[in-house]
Amino acid sequence: MTMNRYHQWLCNSRMWARAVERDLLPWALDDVQLGAETLEIGPGYGATTRVLERRAGGRLSVLEVDGGSAERLRAEYGDRIEVVQGDGCAMPLPDGRFDAVVCFTMLHHVPSPRQQDQLFAEAFRVLRPGGIFAGCDGRASRGFRLIHLWDTYVPVPPGTLPERLRAAGFRTPDISLRNDYFRFRAVRP
């Protein structure tokens, strides 16, 4: 995964952190119960993790592919949050451990639709029966593309997501659109 300097600055800015806290995560997780064990995939600089730490009812773990970002998160959270360095397409985590798996504005950084589908299958694998997979991502647009010049940028067409989540084993996928974002929820039977 690559990110240009502007994108790095934006994702690490107070402006983005405020938008995540006040708007994006409240909308993305409206009526979602996280449970005792929650996993966040791809926290990056941690703006979403800061909000989840306060919201999660139990233990929060994060899975971050970038070694430098994982180290920064470990330094910030210590033993309050389990930080695992690893790829969302091949999670170094046991089957059925989590009540909820979440990811926010990171799916478009997964390098191909095939790898995105692997991430969905891995989210399914690490969830307990009855667990929820939820999150949000940006919708393809000219502005979204400009922020991602020279980045890994593979937007997920929201219309394809229900079938892709069903193929991973989920049931009752629900997709909602709002402005430049979509949110999703799906349950492991």
Side-chain angles (χ1 to χ4, degrees), residues 51-183:
V51 177
L52 284 173
E53 181 185 28
R54 293 188 303 272
R55 182 181 168 118
R59 180 140 176 89
L60 176 61
S61 301
V62 299
L63 177 70
E64 174 56 45
V65 70
D66 180 72
S69 292
E71 284 306 313
R72 282 189 296 278
L73 291 166
R74 282 188 191 104
E76 181 174 348
Y77 292 106
D79 62 358
R80 295 189 330 265
I81 292 176
E82 176 189 22
V83 178
V84 177
Q85 184 182 353
D87 187 341
C89 299
M91 297 184 197
L93 298 164
D95 295 357
R97 175 177 166 189
F98 298 98
D99 299 296
V101 174
V102 296
C103 61
F104 308 100
T105 66
M106 59 72 65
L107 290 173
H108 62 275
H109 287 294
V110 178
S112 71
R114 182 184 59 77
Q115 288 170 294
Q116 291 167 349
D117 291 342
Q118 286 177 273
L119 185 143
F120 301 151
E122 281 292 281
F124 183 87
R125 180 184 66 77
V126 301
L127 276 170
R128 294 181 178 127
I132 189 163
F133 180 40
C136 66
D137 209 350
R139 295 167 62 189
S141 69
R142 181 175 297 152
F144 197 46
R145 178 65 189 125
L146 287 173
I147 292 170
H148 293 84
L149 286 177
W150 303 287
D151 281 4
T152 300
Y153 175 71
V154 183
V156 175
T160 68
L161 199 49
E163 187 53 40
R164 294 171 73 185
L165 291 171
R166 280 189 205 94
F170 290 101
R171 67 171 186 199
T172 62
D174 179 52
I175 313 303
S176 300
L177 305 177
R178 186 183 84 169
N179 301 327
D180 295 331
Y181 291 94
F182 68 89
R183 71 179 178 191

Side-chain angles (χ1 to χ4, degrees), residues 25-34 55 132 183 185:
L25 258 65
W27 174 70
L29 293 177
D30 184 39
D31 292 329
V32 172
Q33 299 299 316
L34 296 178
R55 182 181 168 118
I132 189 163
R183 71 179 178 191
R185 296 102 190 275

